[in-house]
Amino acid sequence: MLLLLPLLAIAELVVLVQVAHHLGWLDALSLLILVSIVGGWLVKRVGLGVARRVQHQLDAGRTPHRELLDGLLVLAAGVLLFVPGFITATAGLLLLLPPVRTAIANVVAKRLQRRIERGAASFRRGFFFVRGPVIDTGGHERGPGGAPAGRQPPAGAIDTHSVSGPHDA
């Protein structure tokens, strides 16, 4: 992902040169500054609306999942609008449109849900390591790595009993 930043910088420079070729350098730079100022104002306005929706959900006793994700996307829009460039400004302005934010929020929510389900599945398979004895649902004691007591943990497992950390001091 970080490898894309130099490509973005090059693309921004190419677009800036093209816009400056058609409008002139002073107009192109003025347009960039204007987009940043107007974009900042829009981010503030949309962000306050999102904050009101979060507060409304909290007042109603509900967890504001969607609203918080919406706020995160508005924050991302603000960052994109702060970075000078026409490509990032376009992306930032698009993120301020509610239908675009909703579509991206849906994609992010689905990916997050899959990650949670995968994490829960790996937890059920026993890929976790705990400190001290563990009693499974059958009443049998388990050792480190979830192996039955008295047996060695599987290869590659971390024996947390022999690893000291800041909590052991």
Side-chain angles (χ1 to χ4, degrees):
M1 189 66 144
L2 288 175
L3 296 175
L4 295 177
L5 288 178
L7 292 176
L8 177 62
I10 292 169
E12 287 283 13
L13 191 57
V14 167
V15 171
L16 178 61
V17 168
Q18 291 297 318
V19 171
H21 177 72
H22 291 290
L23 297 179
W25 281 101
L26 187 60
D27 289 341
L29 292 176
S30 298
L31 184 59
L32 276 178
I33 292 170
L34 180 66
V35 166
S36 292
I37 292 170
V38 171
W41 178 78
L42 285 171
V43 166
K44 179 181 175 184
R45 186 174 168 89
V46 172
L48 288 173
V50 170
R52 278 192 296 274
R53 289 198 324 267
V54 167
Q55 189 60 50
H56 179 69
Q57 290 291 336
L58 290 173
D59 290 344
R62 294 186 293 260
T63 306
H65 297 104
R66 282 289 181 176
E67 290 77 11
L68 290 176
L69 188 54
D70 209 28
L72 188 63
L73 291 173
V74 170
L75 177 66
V79 169
L80 288 170
L81 285 164
F82 182 72
V83 174
F86 290 107
I87 297 171
T88 54
T90 302
L93 290 172
L94 285 173
L95 269 178
L96 291 177
L97 298 174
V100 174
R101 276 198 322 272
T102 301
I104 292 174
N106 288 337
V107 170
V108 169
K110 285 178 186 175
R111 282 188 174 185
L112 187 59
Q113 183 64 34
R114 273 187 267 150
R115 284 189 121 179
I116 290 170
E117 289 170 357
R118 258 193 317 228
S122 66
F123 180 78
R124 284 192 301 269
R125 288 191 301 252
F127 294 118
F128 65 100
F129 303 100
V130 295
R131 190 162 189 65
V134 175
I135 309 299
D136 68 10
T137 57
H140 304 354
E141 187 173 338
R142 297 284 179 172
R151 285 187 31 205
Q152 293 292 334
I158 299 171
D159 179 8
T160 58
H161 294 310
S162 63
V163 178
S164 62
H167 58 278
D168 292 334

